[in-house]
Amino acid sequence: MNSTMRIVNTYVEYRENPLGIDVEKPRFSWILEDERRDSFQEAYQIQTAADDEYGHILWDTGRIHSSDSIQIPYGGEPMKSRKRYYYRIKVWNHKWEESEWSKTAWWETAFMDYREWNADWITPEYDFQAPKSACPVMRTEFQLTKKVKKARVYVTAKGVYELRLNGNKVGEDFLTPGWTSYNKRILYQTYDVTKMLQTGNNAIGAVIGSGWYKGELGWRSRRNLYGGREALILELHIIYEDGTSQEILSGPDWTSSYRGPILYAENYHGETYDARLEMPWDISGIEREAWFGVRPMGRMPKDILRAQECECVKIREILRPKALFRTPNGETILDMGQNMTGWIRFRVSGKPGSRVVLTHAEILDTDGNFYVDNLKGAKQRIEYVLKGKGTEVFQPHFTFQGFRYVMIEEFPGEPQIEQFEGLVLYSDMERTGFFSCSDTLLNKLYENVLWSQKGNFLDIPTDCPQRCERLGWTADIQIFAATAAMNMKIPLFLTKWLRDLAAEQFESGGVPWVVPDIYDDTYAYDLAGYTGQSEQVAAAWGDAATICPWTLYQHYGDIRILQEQYDSMKKYVDYIYHQGDNPFCWDTGHQLGDWVALDAPYGSFVGATDTAFVATAYYAYSTRILYQAAEIIGNLKDARDYRQLYEKIRSEFQNKYVRKDGSLSVKTQTAIVLALHFQLVQNEFRQGLADELAAWLERTNYDLITGFVGTPYICHVLTAYGHAATAYRLLLKQDYPSWLYQVTKGATTVWEHLDGLKPDGTLWNPRMNSFNHYAYGSVAEWLYKGVTGISIGEHGAGYRHFQFAPEIGGGINWAETVLTTMYGEIRAFWRRCEDKIDFHLKVPVNTTAEIILPVSQLESIRESGKRPELGNGIHHIKTEGAQIYIHVGSGNYNFECMETK
Ligand code: BGC
């Protein structure tokens, strides 16, 4: 017991103490620490029990001789519903020293089988005299006579709901149950309400907004996409101290009303709230006359109910406005100093019936006036009518806004800046990545990328959070997934969305443009012109089906996501196989190509790169991912078959697009980037192509002209072929077109177009000009991987093995990344000091790293004043070309390099 190896954190299904999951075999992961270097786990033991004293052990692995410390599936008896399971873990290190037991932790199940739901879906009786768009409330009262030991509520709605119990909001989540493919899957949430109940009379109920379920979606202002009626299903399970229990279920005895204060609420358009209509529906003993009944919806299925699968949306940050000022047009404007997604909360006092009216927008126009044209009809407007009693505090319920500026159209008295705050809403994911360096503009770009992730990770990954779109565009997240996975812990968020992707996949295997899918032929017509096809599938968009699971596998060592999504991945590749006459290329359908690339012909969003080239390149890439996934999950026949398919696609690609002299027949930068990044051209031609790309960029003043498809990979490709200096020129360029151009223009999030705001001060076409679009923010992956040099090594899924190979350059003096991985924290840092460069790396316990230092002689490296030698964590040292490779185990390493080329 004298080992210093400790278990510092444990997780079940990526969470600490998750409440209300229905995963049959939840997986355990733990983080180890040890001050000593080169520390590995040799064995582990997991115990689960019905109590936290471990008096009644349910499952005990015994000592398992394995170095695995993440994603270990539960192997005990099938779990019961609505039960808490405790667990603890111990480990042995490579010297067979035994650790202490980890701190006791737990998970709690929800309904393991949907058939256990006893409650009814209920919907309000319609009240024809109520305001047309009002949000209904459904409620009930009940009596408790005994002392409560434990109480849980399981609840969801068709619409978005806020649940209240005895005068208080239940939980801290907003916009629940989020957006899923509602016809096939609706998630319910679990809350611990033990402390909210009281002896005697109690009241519980929910108010329901239209949300994604029946509110407006897409730019054609269509409503009721999933159904026309709000509905609620709820079970409150109470266990008394004396061991007896009681259940309160939504059912025909509940009552409803449309006469509450929320008169109107829509995601895009905002909320109208008349505080004079507030009624205390969430406390017991209210008058019953004005209340209507509810209708049980007998035929509404329960088999679509699943326990919440990821973090819910919460208020994650609160911002104070930076300024309150008047525009040249005389508008009163609040500047949040940050483009954000969420709400304004305000404090106000005034006469009954006086109003606060706020409109939200992302930018000011060239003259400094309020600008809403790029919202494309999303009104983003909050109207609040005062009840006129003391100080009133308001924040919206069933809407969200993408904004930096707020126009105060009406306000009782003179508004003061202190009366407002910005509530930043996004899914409650842990921040895992931090990057900073000596270049302040680059740091700002990185911050902007983070903010675009926050703004667009509101339950689903969206393209933008402001205009009447806010949809799960598949390419956007496919491009951004790796960056997102470094910035935040996203596996649950993305797994949930991938289940929707699989649910929405067409019979043919094609993947819709957006998930959840809201498009039908009419939308397709808007975008594509009439193509005669009812299913719109495009390369780089549909490939989210393969790339997103693969990204999760790489970053979190999550094999289950590959198993779960495997059919969907395979169906997608098979879909492409069946397009057109030639099964080894993809040259049909309406393709979106290298979206918004600057080499696009005038008036088009589709970049100059031949769309069949893009589609075939992605086809090859997805097929490669598929066969690798098949290998990992042990489907060896598929692995063989799809590898052969991949090879055929690759040779078809070479036949079609690679000329005899090694040049490409498609002459764009994106074409080179894809051909190299997806490794589609013959080895002997690769360096030449990379050189061509570098020379091209040099010739064209390092203009960034690639679109959605080429931009994420361009710096990676340049660095892989020895052109890091060019990558830095591109990255650090400040004039248009470049990443930093928008930073110099004051951007606080990443823009949809590199020239959303043009150098002459005019704005891009308002039809499509979002200032919060993360796609181009995928460059942050290169900040982590290139500038600080941290990347996942081969066979190192989950960062079990990783590389530290910083690209020193660009006039940057120091850079740092801190990354919380499944194994613990990686810290990578380098700094130029006069005649040497210092490198620091922290390698988590149970992992290994390859440190690649840019020096040719081992003599030039010092660790604690000495030349590095084997032993004490260093497993291997080799010199290759102008680099030294040092293979290390866990611990902290500090190297000084005397060569500073
Ligand atoms: C979205 C994009 C998306 C594109 C594809 C746009 O309206 O905002 O990010 O990928 O459409 O057509």
Side-chain angles (χ1 to χ4, degrees):
M1 287 291 240
N2 55 359
S3 159
T4 53
M5 193 194 260
R6 300 175 306 280
I7 302 176
V8 291
N9 263 322
T10 61
Y11 302 95
V12 175
E13 286 301 306
Y14 294 102
R15 283 191 268 190
E16 289 179 40
N17 305 339
L19 178 72
I21 59 173
D22 61 2
V23 182
E24 270 174 38
K25 292 188 187 306
R27 292 159 299 173
F28 302 93
S29 301
W30 52 93
I31 292 185
L32 300 166
E33 270 183 18
D34 192 339
E35 276 68 43
R36 296 166 302 180
R37 280 189 181 175
D38 217 13
S39 195
F40 292 93
Q41 176 190 299
E42 192 71 38
Y44 69 82
Q45 180 175 4
I46 305 173
Q47 279 186 347
T48 66
D51 60 311
D52 58 359
E53 313 254 278
Y54 295 87
H56 181 194
I57 304 265
L58 296 171
W59 180 57
D60 189 341
T61 59
R63 191 166 81 181
I64 304 282
H65 195 165
S66 161
S67 58
D68 293 343
S69 57
I70 65 168
Q71 316 283 17
I72 314 287
Y74 169 77
E77 292 290 306
M79 290 178 287
K80 297 208 171 67
S81 290
R82 298 180 289 102
K83 284 270 174 305
R84 183 171 286 198
Y85 291 83
Y86 295 88
Y87 74 96
R88 60 184 181 179
I89 296 162
K90 80 159 55 163
V91 294
W92 286 261
N93 70 4
H94 54 295
K95 294 181 187 148
W96 289 103
E97 293 163 337
E98 184 177 335
S99 76
E100 307 274 351
W101 282 113
S102 62
K103 213 167 74 206
T104 283
W106 53 264
W107 76 96
E108 203 176 292
T109 54
F111 296 103
M112 296 305 291
D113 184 337
Y114 73 88
R115 281 168 294 207
E116 294 173 53
W117 275 91
N118 291 320
D120 288 323
W121 279 106
I122 52 172
T123 189
E125 286 289 0
Y126 204 69
D127 170 357
F128 288 97
Q129 264 132 48
K132 205 168 140 263
S133 312
C135 297
V137 170
M138 287 184 270
R139 75 184 294 276
T140 194
E141 294 190 17
F142 56 96
Q143 286 258 321
L144 299 183
T145 47
K146 294 185 279 190
K147 209 156 180 279
V148 173
K149 182 170 169 216
K150 165 177 157 182
R152 300 285 183 269
V153 64
Y154 307 92
V155 55
T156 192
K158 298 196 170 181
V160 275
Y161 72 88
E162 184 174 309
L163 178 67
R164 300 186 67 89
L165 172 59
N166 292 333
N168 293 304
K169 175 175 158 56
V170 174
E172 290 171 358
D173 306 329
F174 294 97
L175 300 168
T176 43
W179 190 9
T180 48
S181 173
Y182 290 132
N183 295 330
K184 300 187 178 134
R185 295 161 22 83
I186 294 193
L187 306 184
Y188 61 88
Q189 292 68 49
T190 302
Y191 297 101
D192 178 351
V193 292
T194 315
K195 296 206 173 94
M196 300 179 80
L197 294 171
Q198 59 203 23
T199 313
N201 294 336
N202 291 263
I204 191 166
V207 51
I208 304 183
S210 305
W212 298 277
Y213 186 79
K214 66 185 277 284
E216 238 179 82
L217 283 176
W219 57 83
R220 279 178 169 258
S221 310
R222 286 176 51 193
R223 313 187 76 253
N224 297 342
L225 243 82
Y226 298 93
R229 295 196 69 94
E230 297 89 351
L232 178 79
I233 189 164
L234 175 148
E235 295 203 5
L236 168 59
H237 288 249
I238 303 167
I239 297 175
Y240 294 106
E241 291 283 2
D242 66 5
T244 58
S245 62
Q246 187 181 346
E247 291 171 17
I248 309 296
L249 310 179
S250 53
D253 53 323
W254 284 45
T255 53
S256 74
S257 170
Y258 278 91
R259 308 284 178 96
I262 308 177
L263 296 177
Y264 172 88
E266 285 278 342
N267 282 353
Y268 297 158
H269 302 310
E271 191 165 305
T272 303
Y273 187 97
D274 188 339
R276 294 172 304 183
L277 302 175
E278 282 174 357
M279 49 180 187
W281 56 266
D282 54 1
I283 54 170
S284 58
I286 62 165
E287 287 167 32
R288 283 167 173 270
E289 295 84 74
W291 287 75
F292 282 62
V294 300
R295 265 203 284 137
M297 306 182 88
R299 275 188 315 218
M300 237 185 216
K302 294 182 194 166
D303 58 354
I304 56 171
L305 293 171
R306 300 276 177 281
Q308 180 65 30
E309 295 169 337
C310 63
E311 301 84 353
C312 289
V313 172
K314 285 195 164 56
I315 298 174
R316 289 294 309 268
E317 289 169 57
I318 299 184
L319 302 183
R320 310 248 160 245
K322 292 276 176 298
L324 180 64
F325 62 93
R326 256 186 235 294
T327 63
N329 281 349
E331 301 138 331
T332 305
I333 304 290
L334 206 55
D335 176 6
M336 300 310 295
Q338 174 62 53
N339 200 13
M340 57 167 277
T341 303
W343 298 325
I344 287 291
R345 175 157 69 199
F346 56 81
R347 279 182 303 116
V348 64
S349 44
K351 293 205 188 77
S354 53
R355 298 183 349 137
V356 177
V357 179
L358 307 176
T359 304
H360 305 64
E362 286 192 295
I363 51 157
L364 302 176
D365 70 10
T366 327
D367 303 320
N369 292 313
F370 198 64
Y371 182 83
V372 291
D373 296 3
N374 69 327
L375 303 177
K376 275 179 69 171
K379 295 196 180 59
Q380 302 218 106
R381 185 180 168 88
I382 300 296
E383 295 187 20
Y384 177 82
V385 183
L386 278 75
K387 58 188 168 222
K389 285 194 199 119
T391 302
E392 299 172 38
V393 180
F394 178 75
Q395 71 190 46
H397 304 80
F398 302 132
T399 180
F400 59 92
Q401 285 75 51
F403 66 102
R404 169 174 170 175
Y405 298 98
V406 183
M407 175 159 71
I408 306 176
E409 289 177 45
E410 288 183 44
F411 200 84
E414 194 55 37
Q416 303 297 316
I417 195 164
E418 305 73 40
Q419 290 174 280
F420 302 89
E421 49 193 1
L423 309 181
V424 184
L425 288 174
Y426 55 96
S427 294
D428 192 24
M429 302 155 297
E430 183 192 329
R431 169 96 184 264
T432 48
F434 295 82
F435 167 85
S436 58
C437 69
S438 59
D439 190 299
T440 44
L441 287 182
L442 219 46
N443 291 343
K444 182 64 185 155
L445 173 67
Y446 172 76
E447 290 295 319
N448 292 357
V449 175
L450 263 179
W451 274 100
S452 279
Q453 181 166 353
K454 294 172 186 175
N456 285 295
F457 272 48
L458 194 150
D459 204 65
I460 65 151
T462 52
D463 55 339
C464 58
Q466 74 298 82
R467 66 179 178 225
C468 50
E469 219 168 333
R470 312 182 188 187
L471 302 172
W473 278 99
T474 42
D476 303 43
I477 184 58
Q478 171 276 104
I479 291 163
F480 189 64
T483 301
M486 296 183 93
N487 289 338
M488 296 183 200
K489 195 169 182 179
I490 62 160
L492 297 173
F493 175 87
L494 215 52
T495 296
K496 169 219 171 223
W497 182 78
L498 280 167
R499 289 180 184 151
D500 290 306
L501 182 147
E504 299 283 22
Q505 206 162 353
F506 304 124
E507 269 304 287
S508 63
V511 173
W513 282 346
V514 294
V515 172
D517 190 16
I518 66 155
Y519 288 135
D520 56 11
D521 299 11
T522 48
Y523 276 103
Y525 185 79
D526 281 358
L527 289 160
Y530 187 65
T531 58
Q533 284 177 297
S534 57
E535 292 175 4
Q536 297 293 334
V537 183
W541 273 252
D543 299 85
T546 52
I547 295 172
C548 291
W550 187 247
T551 306
L552 292 184
Y553 162 69
Q554 285 185 311
H555 286 263
Y556 303 99
D558 191 333
I559 295 179
R560 190 176 285 172
I561 190 71
L562 298 180
Q563 291 161 334
E564 252 193 48
Q565 293 297 125
Y566 188 74
D567 284 348
S568 152
M569 297 165 78
K570 184 169 159 175
K571 262 170 75 181
Y572 176 63
V573 168
D574 290 349
Y575 165 85
I576 307 172
Y577 183 90
H578 289 107
Q579 300 309 299
D581 301 328
N582 181 345
F584 308 121
C585 70
W586 190 6
D587 53 9
T588 57
H590 177 79
Q591 296 292 344
L592 300 169
D594 190 19
W595 191 249
V596 298
L598 292 177
D599 57 9
Y602 183 76
S604 167
F605 293 134
V606 180
T609 310
D610 176 62
T611 56
F613 179 101
V614 173
T616 305
Y618 264 99
Y619 177 26
Y621 185 47
S622 273
T623 309
R624 196 175 82 193
I625 289 176
L626 181 64
Y627 86 68
Q628 288 174 330
E631 262 163 30
I632 290 164
I633 66 172
N635 187 339
L636 299 183
K637 179 175 184 315
D638 274 11
R640 224 176 19 251
D641 292 352
Y642 285 99
R643 188 185 201 121
Q644 276 170 12
L645 174 62
Y646 165 72
E647 271 151 20
K648 287 189 182 137
I649 301 166
R650 196 173 57 173
S651 47
E652 184 65 12
F653 178 92
Q654 292 173 354
N655 289 339
K656 275 185 126 114
Y657 301 114
V658 186
R659 293 186 177 135
K660 287 216 163 50
D661 62 359
S663 65
L664 297 180
S665 59
V666 173
K667 291 278 166 213
T668 64
Q669 293 182 9
T670 287
I672 299 180
V673 170
L674 286 191
L676 290 177
H677 196 71
F678 295 164
Q679 298 174 6
L680 297 174
V681 280
Q682 297 87 322
N683 276 340
E684 63 271 28
F685 298 144
R686 292 183 186 170
Q687 189 61 48
L689 278 176
D691 297 346
E692 185 186 336
L693 175 66
W696 188 339
L697 287 162
E698 194 178 328
R699 236 182 13 250
T700 52
N701 191 30
Y702 303 96
D703 286 349
L704 180 65
I705 59 162
T706 45
F708 268 33
V709 161
T711 309
Y713 306 135
I714 193 165
C715 288
H716 300 280
V717 162
L718 288 165
T719 348
Y721 293 93
H723 292 293
T726 308
Y728 270 117
R729 292 295 294 262
L730 205 58
L731 181 69
L732 295 170
K733 177 185 161 84
Q734 293 181 23
D735 54 337
Y736 172 79
S738 67
W739 282 288
L740 289 185
Y741 164 74
Q742 47 188 269
V743 175
T744 65
K745 288 281 166 191
T748 60
T749 38
V750 180
W751 300 350
E752 179 172 24
H753 301 278
L754 292 172
D755 56 347
L757 173 61
K758 297 183 188 206
D760 66 7
T762 58
L763 291 162
W764 225 85
N765 186 336
R767 263 184 60 211
M768 214 184 80
N769 195 14
S770 149
F771 289 86
N772 199 354
H773 238 73
Y774 50 54
Y776 278 126
S778 49
V779 67
E781 188 190 359
W782 197 74
L783 300 181
Y784 290 118
K785 273 195 185 176
V787 181
T788 42
I790 292 298
S791 60
I792 304 159
E794 210 178 321
H795 309 300
Y799 294 87
R800 189 170 196 162
H801 176 60
F802 64 96
Q803 275 196 348
F804 175 41
E807 293 294 345
I808 314 287
I812 292 176
N813 288 323
W814 61 266
E816 179 174 29
T817 278
V818 181
L819 194 67
T820 305
T821 70
M822 294 296 288
Y823 292 94
E825 187 182 279
I826 294 175
R827 180 168 180 265
F829 174 77
W830 61 264
R831 178 178 52 192
R832 273 176 189 282
C833 313
E834 288 168 15
D835 55 347
K836 61 181 179 69
I837 307 177
D838 292 337
F839 296 88
H840 168 81
L841 182 68
K842 180 180 171 194
V843 182
V845 172
N846 218 20
T847 70
T848 54
E850 183 117 64
I851 303 174
I852 305 176
L853 299 174
V855 285
S856 51
Q857 314 255 332
L858 193 55
E859 277 65 37
S860 331
I861 305 178
R862 290 283 172 279
E863 209 206 358
S864 312
K866 294 205 297 269
R867 216 176 70 166
E869 286 171 3
L870 296 189
N872 192 24
I874 300 183
H875 299 171
H876 195 71
I877 304 179
K878 80 173 179 207
T879 312
E880 218 176 84
Q883 290 175 321
I884 307 266
Y885 291 67
I886 306 177
H887 190 275
V888 300
S890 71
N892 281 291
Y893 297 87
N894 290 296
F895 295 109
E896 290 173 87
C897 290
M898 308 308 167
E899 276 178 48
T900 56
K901 287 178 291 202

